[in-house]
Amino acid sequence: MRDALGSVQSVLVLGGNSEIAMAIVDRLVASRCKKVVLGVRSPASATTTLNRLRSAGVDADTVVFDALDPASHAKVIDAAAERIGDLDMVILAFGVLGEQSEFNANPVAAADAARVNFVGAVSSGLAAAAKLRTQGHGMILAITSVAGVRARADNFVYGSTKAGMDAFAQGLGDSLIGSGARCVVVRPGFVHTRMTEGMKPAPFATTPDKIADAVINGLQKNKEMIWAPPILSTLFTILRHLPRPLWRKISAG
Amino acid sequence: MRPEPAASRAVPSTSELFGWGRTAPTGADVRRPTSPIELQRALPTSFERGLIARGLGRSYGDAAQNAGGTVIETTDVAAFTIHDSDPNSNTVLVTADAGASIDRLLHALVPQGLFVPVTPGTRYVTVGGAIAADIHGKNHHLKGSWCNHVESLHLQLADGSVVEVGPDRDSELFWATAGGMGLTGVILDATFRCPRIGSSQLVVDTDRAADLDAVCELMRSGDHLYDYSVAWIDLMATGKSMGRSVLTRGRFASASEAAPKIGADPYVYRANELVSAPPFMPAGLLNNLSIRVFNELWFRKAPVERRDEIQSIPTFFHPLDMVRGWNRIYGPAGFLQWQFVIPFDATSTLTTIVDEISQSGCTSFLAVLKSFGEGNPGPLSFPAGGWTLALDIPTGIQGLGPLLDRLDDLVVGVGGRIYLAKDSRVRPELLPEMYPRLNEWREVRERVDPNRRIMSDLARRLGL
């Protein structure tokens, strides 16, 4: 169960190799969380994480999760619940970033990115929500991106997939009101991870640890939308209303 | 912004419920029987996620919630009978449905020269809740907790059968129900002893204490002279003023003592809510500064020493009840209450804890300090001989979780415990240390509910 300070006792991570999700899980485990299931495409890829969690006394396991296989998503949720009981939190942490120039040259690859980031979030998010409704409690933590707040010429495929996911998660959250379940949206800015290695960092670039701190703080305060770092909330209030010629200029960096 | 929990309906439907602290709401099928027969029939046919009874929802955390299961609200089954008695006896027996509130009882009892055996700081608690939490009040040092005054009660077990238990009838099950957080079955009604009073007024002495040592010393040396005693303590004061307090103690006045204030009828009783807290409070209105100012004013307005002031029951016992929905003043993130008891010989730990809280800059007003008398045989009953401190804290404060975890360790280290009716965040692994007789309680539960049909969010969270 979630407690008054936003700590949970069990968590399922879809996209179990996400560095941001792992930073969040580390903090949950340091507080009250004793059960973790990692949803990953290949369980072998999560061995190190699994061992680390287990040596910390956590009941940790993996389930096979493929964002590109929506038909399997309800079964993945059930398998996780079978393994650890009530799911106090489900983190939607999977996603691909891709390269805009590559997408421009290969529209099929762009469509695949959309299938992972958006379509996969829709099916797994709804499957998780159905479970949480039955439980009468639990939280979906949907990790989207500030890139979805306003699309940029140099990453609009990624941005639009995250915009779709973000809108979906907000609506899902509203639809869950009254059920005991929740959906919280996390909007990170530029994060230094494997995913962004070699890229030029955007202003207010941050780290998975800082994102996780913002998330834990937001959960304790019962926020429905968590910007990370929090300053981005103010920044994007301005940026999203800039005239497009000006936005083009600024976002081209 | 979080919605108010929907009013429950006769037909089961999913509603979100939370405790008084307005944190961690969960959804459940809420049933609201309107007669004792309906109440007994309210047990669901499917027990996949169990059921729990709920009264007026004054537990701070998740004790009266049951995610995905059934919650039976008992407050519409609220009849009670005041039994005939020997006029020379000090007490009168009252039998009340579990849903009857202390508020309703007082409106009937006080005009007849009677009072409830124990009242907490709010009169909006039900008899069922009073038993399930084994509530205590300002008279614990002399009279113990609620269940010390219960003769018998009817309990509906998970299999649907109804049993009558008491200190002399299946005392094991009775004491497991006393403070058992509703997890042994659905309490249907109870019979308890109510004391006679001389008037509806109290004779109150007030003392202002400059620091923690001073207030402890006042209580140690003088509490036995008063029927009721409690201290309000300013946990935001630091340095030499750390633990400064206002101690109020009293007893019921005789008719002649009360007459100058209330006139000929010694048992006149008026208890009204004066104002309502606004439905929505912006986050952060109660901040470190505003509470510091409030605490300062409160302390300064108290007399250094005042004797024999006549006060009404609501003023003395239930000041917060004057503001309906005062729990909303903490804003959307909600708040929690942390209450512990530690033995008298651990007074230095009390000092350490008060010091840690005031040093932390943690925003808290309305902290209450009291000295408890001995506990009763209930394995999960909270009160035990020693100091008890209760404080409200808004949940949004950074670092609050680790701070309270550290303080829990101090409490456990000296053989103390925290109060489950207030809890919304303790580490489950500390419970067996806080309640060393937890296994005895579990054995009784195993006997009456082997399939864990009676279930609450608190039970799930703490692995009870």
Side-chain angles (χ1 to χ4, degrees):
Chain A
M1 301 296 300
R2 180 159 65 106
D3 75 10
L5 297 174
S7 294
V8 296
Q9 295 176 307
S10 65
V11 60
L12 164 64
V13 183
L14 298 180
N17 286 319
S18 150
E19 286 164 78
I20 293 175
M22 273 318 105
I24 296 171
V25 166
D26 283 343
R27 280 155 184 77
L28 297 176
V29 163
S31 183
R32 297 286 187 273
C33 188
K34 295 270 189 277
K35 296 171 179 176
V36 177
V37 174
L38 305 173
V40 284
R41 246 180 319 176
S42 120
S45 67
T47 314
T48 319
T49 313
L50 214 52
N51 289 339
R52 186 168 54 81
L53 287 170
R54 283 177 178 161
S55 62
V58 176
D59 179 10
D61 214 338
T62 52
V63 288
V64 175
F65 170 74
D66 183 355
L68 285 169
D69 182 13
S72 71
H73 289 178
K75 279 179 228 139
V76 172
I77 302 285
D78 284 342
E82 185 81 14
R83 175 67 182 76
I84 58 170
D86 279 12
L87 304 174
D88 292 357
M89 184 182 280
V90 180
I91 307 181
L92 306 185
F94 55 87
V96 290
L97 179 58
E99 186 82 44
Q100 186 60 43
S101 55
E102 191 193 319
F103 288 148
N104 292 344
N106 184 358
V108 175
D112 281 344
R115 283 170 62 212
V116 172
N117 291 4
F118 177 60
V119 179
V122 168
S123 61
S124 62
L126 287 171
K131 184 78 194 170
L132 302 193
R133 273 181 198 280
T134 316
Q135 288 179 182
H137 75 108
M139 177 180 290
I140 296 169
L141 199 66
I143 302 178
T144 69
S145 169
V146 293
V149 178
R150 193 163 189 181
R152 293 198 330 239
D154 65 355
N155 78 342
F156 65 90
V157 168
Y158 176 76
S160 63
T161 64
K162 286 296 189 180
M165 179 188 182
D166 194 290
F168 164 78
Q170 287 185 60
L172 180 63
D174 289 342
S175 81
L176 287 171
I177 295 292
S179 70
R182 291 280 181 276
C183 180
V184 171
V185 176
V186 180
R187 284 181 180 165
F190 184 96
V191 191
H192 292 284
T193 61
R194 289 188 306 269
M195 202 193 221
T196 59
E197 222 171 329
M199 289 174 62
K200 182 169 157 274
F204 301 105
T206 187
T207 63
D209 281 333
K210 290 200 175 120
I211 302 276
D213 287 338
V215 167
I216 297 298
N217 193 29
L219 293 179
Q220 188 182 337
K221 291 185 172 155
N222 204 25
K223 294 243 162 112
E224 292 181 314
M225 171 81 67
I226 299 169
W227 295 77
I231 178 74
L232 292 179
S233 165
T234 317
L235 184 65
F236 270 86
T237 306
I238 301 162
L239 291 183
R240 70 197 296 184
H241 293 108
L242 288 180
R244 276 178 74 174
L246 190 53
W247 167 248
R248 274 196 288 273
K249 221 170 165 174
I250 289 176
S251 64
Chain B
M1 197 171 116
R2 219 155 38 192
E4 286 294 312
S8 47
R9 304 154 187 97
V11 181
S13 62
T14 297
S15 301
E16 254 177 34
L17 297 171
F18 42 65
W20 192 241
R22 300 168 59 82
T23 54
T26 61
D29 279 347
V30 179
R31 299 174 188 205
R32 192 165 188 148
T34 53
S35 70
I37 295 294
E38 254 185 64
L39 173 56
Q40 283 190 46
R41 287 182 186 153
L43 289 193
T45 44
S46 156
F47 278 102
E48 206 175 312
R49 294 186 66 88
L51 100 155
I52 194 78
R54 177 182 175 99
L56 284 162
R58 253 55 176 192
S59 282
Y60 279 70
D62 46 10
Q65 298 170 201
N66 181 21
T70 302
V71 172
I72 300 179
E73 288 196 337
T74 62
T75 45
D76 283 348
V77 188
F80 55 89
T81 314
I82 303 171
H83 297 284
D84 295 333
S85 72
D86 173 359
N88 295 321
S89 148
N90 288 332
T91 57
V92 170
L93 284 180
V94 172
T95 300
D97 286 336
S101 66
I102 288 185
D103 179 48
R104 290 187 58 174
L105 284 168
L106 289 180
H107 277 99
L109 291 173
V110 176
Q112 299 194 37
L114 297 168
F115 198 58
V116 287
V118 165
T119 178
T122 172
R123 57 183 179 270
Y124 298 109
V125 298
T126 61
V127 166
I131 293 165
D134 193 18
I135 60 168
H136 57 269
K138 295 183 179 187
N139 59 350
H140 189 276
H141 59 294
L142 296 180
K143 300 288 183 184
S145 47
W146 182 273
C147 292
N148 292 52
H149 305 270
V150 174
E151 296 260 304
S152 64
L153 61 88
H154 283 102
L155 188 68
Q156 183 168 33
L157 303 180
D159 64 6
S161 65
V162 175
V163 294
E164 186 176 14
V165 297
D168 56 351
R169 263 161 292 188
D170 197 347
S171 63
E172 229 185 13
L173 180 52
F174 172 77
W175 286 115
T177 305
M181 304 311 294
L183 294 167
T184 55
V186 178
I187 297 162
L188 300 175
D189 62 47
T191 300
F192 45 93
R193 296 179 294 274
C194 289
R196 293 185 196 281
I197 51 178
S199 76
S200 63
Q201 306 296 305
L202 291 109
V203 183
V204 181
D205 289 353
T206 304
D207 293 275
R208 214 163 78 169
D211 59 24
L212 185 64
D213 289 342
V215 71
C216 288
E217 186 47 39
L218 278 170
M219 286 200 258
R220 239 192 310 252
S221 61
D223 264 12
H224 61 283
L225 302 172
Y226 295 90
D227 292 339
Y228 299 98
S229 164
V230 78
W232 171 84
I233 175 169
D234 180 2
L235 288 178
M236 293 184 77
T238 50
K240 273 172 69 179
S241 315
M242 187 197 84
R244 65 180 180 180
S245 304
V246 178
L247 176 63
T248 57
R249 296 183 287 195
R251 58 172 170 83
F252 273 98
S254 66
S256 60
E257 285 171 316
K261 188 175 175 209
I262 57 169
D265 177 6
Y267 296 123
V268 62
Y269 177 67
R270 273 183 229 100
N272 299 314
E273 290 163 328
L274 297 179
V275 290
S276 199
F280 175 71
M281 296 284 287
L285 189 66
L286 284 193
N287 53 42
N288 202 294
L289 182 66
S290 66
I291 293 187
R292 215 172 266 281
V293 169
F294 173 89
N295 286 3
E296 188 72 37
L297 290 174
W298 179 292
F299 185 77
R300 283 172 186 270
K301 106 176 198 322
V304 176
E305 184 185 302
R306 180 169 57 198
R307 291 288 171 266
D308 298 336
E309 189 194 4
I310 300 292
Q311 284 186 7
S312 68
I313 289 169
T315 306
F316 185 71
F317 289 107
H318 310 127
L320 279 175
D321 284 344
M322 284 179 224
V323 185
R324 178 197 289 263
W326 66 260
N327 57 335
R328 290 195 297 256
I329 65 174
Y330 285 97
F335 70 113
L336 59 82
Q337 187 171 88
W338 187 63
Q339 181 172 3
F340 67 85
V341 59
I342 52 172
F344 287 119
D345 59 23
T347 305
S348 66
T349 304
L350 178 67
T351 312
T352 311
I353 291 172
V354 169
D355 194 30
E356 278 234 24
I357 295 170
S358 35
Q359 293 297 332
S360 73
C362 191
T363 315
S364 169
F365 70 144
L366 303 170
V368 161
L369 178 68
K370 157 137 197 82
S371 85
F372 271 157
E374 287 309 303
N376 67 26
L380 289 192
S381 172
F382 166 67
W387 299 111
T388 185
L389 180 72
L391 56 140
D392 289 357
I393 316 169
T395 48
I397 294 172
Q398 209 147 18
L400 182 57
L403 171 70
L404 292 178
D405 284 351
R406 246 192 351 267
L407 298 182
D408 283 339
D409 288 336
L410 291 176
V411 168
V412 167
V414 292
R417 56 171 65 141
I418 59 110
Y419 189 10
L420 294 182
K422 306 288 179 69
D423 177 58
S424 54
R425 34 78 35 209
V426 78
R427 274 166 295 169
E429 54 268 32
L430 293 185
L431 272 206
E433 291 181 67
M434 293 181 165
Y435 291 90
R437 293 169 58 215
L438 181 61
N439 274 338
E440 267 174 64
W441 181 84
R442 283 183 169 144
E443 279 165 27
V444 179
R445 190 180 184 210
E446 182 64 27
R447 162 160 75 91
V448 294
D449 183 17
N451 300 315
R452 302 290 183 272
R453 289 173 158 188
I454 312 292
M455 185 52 75
S456 68
D457 288 355
L458 178 107
R460 281 195 188 93
R461 179 170 55 84
L462 297 181
L464 281 174

